[in-house]
Amino acid sequence: VLLPYMGKLSDMYDRRKVYSIGFLVFAIGSFCCAISNGFIPLLLARCLQGVGATMIMANSQAMVRQVFPDHERGRALGFNAIVISAGTLSGPAVGGVMLEFADWPWLFWINVPIALTAFLLGLRMFPSTAGSGKKSKFDIAGTLLLGLGTCFLLLAAESSGQGFTPTVLTEAAIGLLLLAALLLQQRKISYGVLDRELFSYRKVWLGNASSFLINLAQTATLIPVTFYLQSEMGYPAWLTGTLLILQPLLMGIVAPFAGWFRDKYGGFFPITVGAMFCAVSMIGLIVMPSVTIVGVCVQLALFGIGNGLFHATNNAEIMSAAPAAKSSLAGSLLAMVRYMGQIAGVGLAAVMVGSMGAQGGDGGELGLSMRLLFAVCMLSCLAVGIGGRMLQPREKPNAASAGPSA
């Protein structure tokens, strides 16, 4: 909900300060979590952590755009993907090891010195930006519509595993109506939470739509695979977690190559081929008579490769196409769209295979549900590949284009 706010605020003022202060807010939130002694204080502290994380996420891609010229931006975002993958891989493992030897508050204590160090280094090392300085209205009504609509859809998604009850249908209908009202409201104002100028650029709207579909497919397939490995195939949690590492690991390996290719030859090829890799990864689990560990590993590996090709390139194309004065807003909208895709993926998985893990299930119907889910996700990825082939401009990055000056 706060991502567009923080993006607009960062473009108006010094991006470096908003980004760095985000780490300070996150450190304070972590400290409050560690000392909380009840559910309500913990919940409020987690909200404070979320505010800090929003300030960071709204600016992380914009900071890369600011520092690197266009013909180096893909490779820079590729290395950024390695860091993200490393965090994805190490976070659950470090948390699990810590809980073996310490109480849960240490999961938050460890964040405090790390975030404070990042706060100081950000202020010291990142270049400062003057910002536009232009005062702009904030779209409070649009933010409320977006937040409430997303919350109602999340509630419907979480409950839909029990079937289409009147409560689920009511929550889904309210969520959709609120988002429809948001779209109508955005057409009437120029300062909306969904910036019309940004979405007038073909690479921006097409890249965000593609990111939504790829993230939907990733989340919708990863959830049932996790439950299937544990509930249906009987694998322990540590082995399941080890297998799931395949996807972010290969994404981190492939992303720098995709960024280098984009910087040298343009983004069309890695975006299209990456989406096709993601689509092809689904075929085995759709047509195989039974789900095997080999099939799951192949699916995770191919999707990880496709994700690495797609995301580093797509992010670089979006950030390069956006105006320099709105780069933080562009990065925040990209992060918001990514989360919306993940929410939609959770809902799709809950609707189609929501009972998985809650009951053993007999193989026939459950297998059919899984195959249908993977078929829908395959079509989602194919749409990205075909749409990119038809609509994606094929320009090479401009070697003469430097990042915005400090």
Side-chain angles (χ1 to χ4, degrees):
V1 172
L2 292 177
L3 276 167
Y5 266 113
M6 293 302 177
K8 183 175 286 190
L9 190 69
S10 302
D11 287 328
M12 289 169 56
Y13 302 106
D14 189 349
R15 185 175 297 121
R16 178 197 61 168
K17 289 183 179 178
V18 177
Y19 180 72
S20 301
I21 291 172
F23 287 103
L24 178 61
V25 174
F26 189 82
I28 295 171
S30 298
F31 174 82
C32 294
C33 286
I35 64 173
S36 62
N37 56 2
F39 176 73
I40 298 301
L42 180 61
L43 181 63
L44 294 175
R46 290 287 285 165
C47 290
L48 186 59
Q49 272 190 314
V51 173
T54 303
M55 297 170 74
I56 298 166
M57 293 177 57
N59 288 288
S60 58
Q61 311 252 18
M63 297 300 289
V64 173
R65 187 197 195 285
Q66 176 181 330
V67 172
F68 292 92
D70 189 20
H71 67 283
E72 296 178 358
R73 208 164 284 153
R75 187 165 33 173
L77 288 170
F79 282 107
N80 187 45
I82 292 180
V83 176
I84 293 172
S85 296
T88 303
L89 294 173
S90 62
V94 171
V97 171
M98 287 182 63
L99 287 176
E100 289 291 326
F101 301 100
D103 293 330
W104 67 265
W106 281 98
L107 296 175
F108 298 101
W109 282 121
I110 195 175
N111 292 333
V112 177
I114 295 173
L116 288 176
T117 302
F119 164 65
L120 294 173
L121 290 176
L123 288 177
R124 180 186 180 96
M125 301 182 70
F126 278 116
S128 128
T129 54
S132 66
K134 294 170 60 178
K135 299 292 184 182
S136 175
K137 292 182 180 179
F138 287 97
D139 182 14
I140 297 175
T143 301
L144 290 174
L145 288 171
L146 175 64
L148 290 173
T150 304
C151 286
F152 273 103
L153 289 179
L154 256 179
L155 289 172
E158 289 180 353
S159 307
S160 59
Q162 308 302 319
F164 293 106
T165 63
T167 301
V168 170
L169 294 174
T170 301
E171 290 169 345
I174 293 173
L176 291 173
L177 286 173
L178 287 170
L179 292 182
L182 171 66
L183 294 177
L184 291 174
Q185 183 249 5
Q186 294 297 293
R187 299 178 64 179
K188 298 179 179 179
I189 59 176
S190 60
Y191 54 91
V193 67
L194 304 177
D195 191 273
R196 282 190 292 180
E197 181 190 352
L198 275 179
F199 284 99
S200 68
Y201 295 93
R202 179 167 55 170
K203 284 187 177 181
V204 173
W205 71 258
L206 179 61
N208 276 283
S210 300
S211 179
F212 176 88
L213 292 174
I214 293 292
N215 281 288
L216 179 151
Q218 181 184 28
T219 306
T221 53
L222 203 57
I223 291 173
V225 162
T226 303
F227 282 117
Y228 200 91
L229 288 171
Q230 292 185 263
S231 302
E232 303 297 322
M233 303 184 75
Y235 288 108
W238 70 267
L239 181 56
T240 300
T242 302
L243 293 173
L244 295 178
I245 282 175
L246 268 174
Q247 196 172 104
L249 178 64
L250 287 170
M251 175 184 174
I253 292 172
V254 170
F257 166 77
W260 168 85
F261 190 97
R262 178 259 173 197
D263 292 340
K264 194 170 181 65
Y265 302 107
F268 168 75
F269 181 81
I271 287 176
T272 303
V273 173
M276 291 303 181
F277 259 93
C278 293
V280 170
S281 74
M282 312 287 179
I283 294 176
L285 295 183
I286 295 172
V287 302
M288 281 194 308
S290 61
V291 178
T292 65
I293 190 67
V294 174
V296 169
C297 287
V298 169
Q299 193 276 328
L300 292 170
L302 289 176
F303 201 99
I305 293 171
N307 229 2
L309 289 169
F310 173 81
H311 273 301
T313 312
N314 190 59
N315 292 352
E317 293 290 282
I318 291 173
M319 296 307 297
S320 296
K326 293 191 174 183
S327 55
S328 286
L329 182 57
S332 66
L333 288 174
L334 179 57
M336 185 182 73
V337 167
R338 180 171 67 247
Y339 282 127
M340 295 295 287
Q342 291 168 353
I343 291 171
V346 170
L348 182 63
V351 167
M352 300 192 71
V353 292
S355 61
M356 185 177 294
Q359 56 189 31
D362 71 37
E365 185 175 352
L366 187 60
L368 178 61
S369 299
M370 282 232 1
R371 280 193 263 281
L372 288 174
L373 173 64
F374 275 81
V376 171
C377 292
M378 182 185 73
L379 293 175
S380 174
C381 296
L382 279 175
V384 174
I386 295 171
R389 185 173 180 81
M390 291 168 51
L391 298 174
Q392 189 67 257
R394 304 193 187 193
E395 307 98 354
K396 294 181 181 180
N398 183 5
S401 170
S405 62

